[in-house]
Amino acid sequence: MDINLQKEEFSYAYIYAITTAAGYSFQKSSRILDVGGIDATITGTVTDDTLYEPQLDLQVKSTSLDILSGETIRYPLKIKNYNELRKERTVAPRILVVVLIPENLQEWIKQSETELCLRRCAYWVSLRGQPQTQNTETVTVYIPCKNVFTVDALKNLMQTIQTGGKL
């Protein structure tokens, strides 16, 4: 398997694990949605005090490049993806999730009889409402290191969506 495809699949597995532990449903997108900038969708369930199930669309990227800089992650995002993520009006909120993966494939997973550890970390950011750029190929997106994609972070995002808040 091509290393880039391995990184992509590893990223989905990482996000799937977080989503499952948070109690939500994870679905990789069809090719049609993927072309539109949605790689995966996370959904919740309707509760007594809500009218609809919360839904969060993801653009998923993975890299083993050194993109950490102080308190931020600098990720070069293609203009097409940037423009899709900065849209104000979408059916469901969209976020960018960047999964950092060790350079060495043998370091991606640590496994024993008592644990399965997926190495490095995922970070998220909402680009909704960001300004148009004059760049023609990529734009550097800055993701705060505090935006770790964790079970609690996902629950907070979904709660915000469910109560009508904006990301």
Side-chain angles (χ1 to χ4, degrees), residues 82-132:
Y82 177 76
N83 286 332
E84 291 162 346
L85 289 166
R86 68 182 194 84
K87 289 179 182 177
E88 292 272 355
R89 296 178 53 154
T90 58
V91 173
R94 297 177 180 186
I95 62 171
L96 171 66
V97 177
V98 177
V99 181
L100 302 186
I101 302 171
E103 189 71 40
N104 184 342
L105 180 65
Q106 285 69 40
E107 295 175 7
W108 289 12
I109 292 178
K110 178 182 177 188
Q111 183 179 2
S112 71
E113 290 182 10
T114 60
E115 71 178 355
L116 173 63
C117 176
L118 305 177
R119 288 250 170 83
R120 283 303 315 247
C121 195
Y123 300 89
W124 70 273
V125 69
S126 172
L127 299 176
R128 183 179 184 272
Q130 290 296 304
Q132 190 171 4

